Amino acid sequence: MWLFKKGEDPIQVYTTEGEFVRTWGKGDFVDPHQLRIDHEGHVWVADFGQHIVQKYTPEGELLQTLGTRGEAGEDDSHFNRPTDMAITPAGDIFVTDGYGNRRVVHFDKDGKFVKAWGHYGSAPGEFVLPHAIVVDSDGKLYVADRNSGRIQVFNQEGRFLDQWSNLIMRWGLSLTSDDELWVCGSSPHWWYRNGAYNEYKDQILMRFSNDGRVKQVWGLPLGDPDDPQPGDTIGAHCIAEDGRRNLYVGDIYGERAQKFVPVTKRPEAAASN
């Protein structure tokens, strides 16, 4: 299990049982946001504070930087607070340039700019805040447009294919080995209104087939930021599933990752009632 966080030890590696393995990256990042592992085992990170996306070896050797460190912009060599990246088996890189800009940026495997699409808006193909992105085995791209409460689906040329709306505010996305999509978030609500940010109403996990059909809905207790308890979350931000169907969920205000195992049978006490 890989974690990317603020603090002195930003990239941390654990076994699936939670045993610490190693850490690296001290002093290298400003605002860690997302970490992905590509098909060759390289580690990709989005640092929105430095306006860059970077590729590393698993041991922490820097291999590639996209964007210009410390400079915000909206062209083929600048991002403005990027949020996530998806890497195809062929090595193409798709970046959600999401907090400052409102677009998806495509680079080839060598980091050469290919194209960008999207701008601010709520129509199909536009973005309010593209917060996460994944690519399935057919090459389709799924973008969590967080503040519009939808997932938009594109091909790799940027053509809009579909959208799934009005279910939850999507924060984090991950794909299973059979192309099912896990999403973490909360019920739709106004993000910023009357000069204030609204509090979360709940914490919801959803599993979709790749055609948008809901396969599972699962609610987690909404925790207290001052007293987080095991099993609750406050701002579920990222989600992943391993080969045994265990789920790993990271939340912002609990400042932690938690592992959830599937329940395959009722406890004996409950079964006897």
Side-chain angles (χ1 to χ4, degrees):
M1 179 172 63
W2 291 76
L3 301 180
F4 190 35
K5 60 182 286 295
K6 292 184 178 181
E8 292 190 355
D9 300 304
I11 293 183
Q12 300 178 6
V13 187
Y14 295 85
T15 69
T16 57
E17 301 306 316
E19 296 177 358
F20 176 77
V21 177
R22 65 180 181 275
T23 182
W24 50 265
K26 183 176 181 178
D28 292 341
F29 307 106
V30 174
D31 285 304
H33 193 261
Q34 184 60 276
L35 179 150
R36 302 283 187 183
I37 309 294
D38 69 17
H39 297 78
E40 296 180 341
H42 298 120
V43 180
W44 292 80
V45 295
D47 182 348
F48 70 79
Q50 297 193 83
H51 310 292
I52 54 176
V53 166
Q54 295 174 293
K55 174 185 178 181
Y56 289 87
T57 67
E59 295 73 34
E61 178 187 354
L62 179 62
L63 300 176
Q64 190 175 39
T65 299
L66 302 177
T68 303
R69 187 187 302 271
E71 294 183 10
E74 192 176 4
D75 54 34
D76 58 2
S77 61
H78 290 82
F79 301 122
N80 191 346
R81 306 179 76 202
T83 52
D84 197 3
M85 58 268 123
I87 299 88
T88 72
D92 288 275
I93 309 135
F94 294 86
V95 177
T96 44
D97 192 15
Y99 277 138
N101 297 323
R102 301 291 190 266
R103 61 177 184 160
V104 173
V105 190
H106 178 193
F107 300 87
D108 69 14
K109 63 182 178 61
D110 298 315
K112 180 181 178 182
F113 174 83
V114 177
K115 69 180 298 183
W117 71 86
H119 56 266
Y120 182 82
S122 56
E126 299 174 342
F127 301 108
V128 179
L129 200 162
H131 192 262
I133 185 169
V134 292
V135 58
D136 71 11
S137 62
D138 293 327
K140 291 187 296 184
L141 296 162
Y142 302 81
V143 179
D145 191 15
R146 186 188 71 184
N147 288 25
S148 69
R150 60 182 174 166
I151 291 173
Q152 297 193 70
V153 187
F154 300 89
N155 67 13
Q156 293 186 24
E157 286 69 50
R159 181 167 65 88
F160 173 83
L161 302 177
D162 197 5
Q163 67 179 6
W164 314 338
S165 303
N166 303 316
L167 294 172
I168 61 173
M169 291 186 70
R170 283 88 168 173
W171 286 68
L173 300 179
S174 70
L175 278 166
T176 68
S177 58
D178 52 0
D179 277 346
E180 291 186 334
L181 190 71
W182 272 108
V183 184
C184 62
S186 58
S187 293
H189 60 81
W190 288 102
W191 183 250
Y192 183 81
R193 198 178 194 190
N194 299 325
Y197 293 96
N198 290 318
E199 297 295 329
Y200 303 102
K201 295 184 289 185
D202 49 32
Q203 300 282 267
I204 299 174
L205 312 180
M206 298 185 74
R207 181 168 57 92
F208 295 85
S209 61
N210 65 356
D211 60 359
R213 188 164 74 90
V214 176
K215 305 290 289 292
Q216 185 176 357
V217 180
W218 181 18
L220 294 173
L222 179 62
D224 179 351
D226 296 323
D227 186 26
Q229 298 296 312
D232 65 30
T233 56
I234 315 103
H237 194 267
C238 54
I239 186 169
E241 181 186 277
D242 67 19
R244 296 183 177 181
R245 297 286 185 179
N246 301 311
L247 277 180
Y248 302 83
V249 180
D251 61 303
I252 298 174
Y253 299 108
E255 298 184 354
R256 60 187 174 171
Q258 297 183 84
K259 177 181 178 180
F260 297 86
V261 300
V263 177
T264 57
K265 64 179 181 180
R266 299 180 70 188
E268 290 185 6
S272 64
N273 294 332

